[in-house]
Amino acid sequence: MPALQIPYIRDFAPHLLSVLRIFAAGSFFTHGTMKLFGWPAPFEYPLSPMLYIAGVLEVIGGLLLVIGLFARPVAFLLSGLMAVAYFIAHSSDSFFPVLNHGEAAMLYCFLFLYISAAGPGAWSLDALQERKSEAPQTA
């Protein structure tokens, strides 16, 4: 039996991937701004050197992912950051992410890993550069 499919939804997959990347990266960016700038709310823990580095990566990486520039390597780096965050800050409290408050780190980890494999989608600076490099050169 064939899988249930919504007609023409596949045509929007590159665009929906871009929407997913933009919204996830925008939310991720605010985790960094909380750590570094106390916005949109103050960060509730003291800022250790490791948290400071995480905040810098969240701000810079979040911005790069929002615009879709160097999306694959940035997403891969941020996926690793979230894996480390999960195992250092959350996994020792419980096996279950819902109990150890690590759901966001786990979801960001796998979302960014997916973006590193799938690419940034149609609406990104990376896609724009690719389209320009593939365009026929006229003299």
Side-chain angles (χ1 to χ4, degrees):
M1 178 176 203
L4 179 64
Q5 295 183 9
I6 301 171
Y8 310 111
I9 195 75
R10 279 190 222 202
D11 296 341
F12 297 103
H15 305 93
L16 292 173
L17 176 57
S18 292
V19 171
L20 176 66
R21 173 188 47 82
I22 291 164
F23 279 90
S27 176
F28 190 73
F29 170 79
T30 62
H31 286 272
T33 60
M34 281 179 65
K35 288 178 183 78
L36 300 180
F37 311 118
W39 181 86
F43 191 62
E44 58 188 282
Y45 303 104
L47 210 56
S48 67
M50 193 169 13
L51 284 174
Y52 179 78
I53 291 169
V56 169
L57 289 172
E58 289 164 354
V59 168
I60 294 171
L63 282 175
L64 287 171
L65 279 183
V66 165
I67 63 174
L69 184 62
F70 309 120
R72 288 179 189 264
V74 168
F76 188 76
L77 175 71
L78 296 180
S79 175
L81 173 68
M82 290 294 93
V84 169
Y86 182 82
F87 286 110
I88 288 177
H90 301 285
S91 68
S92 62
D93 292 341
S94 171
F95 174 78
F96 300 101
V98 71
L99 299 177
N100 67 27
H101 306 286
E103 286 178 296
M106 179 192 62
L107 288 171
Y108 279 127
C109 175
F110 287 103
L111 173 64
F112 293 149
L113 187 61
Y114 175 71
I115 291 170
S116 73
W123 298 326
S124 66
L125 290 181
D126 286 347
L128 180 63
Q129 283 182 317
E130 192 174 311
R131 285 191 297 269
K132 283 185 177 181
S133 69
E134 292 175 355
Q137 302 297 323
T138 58

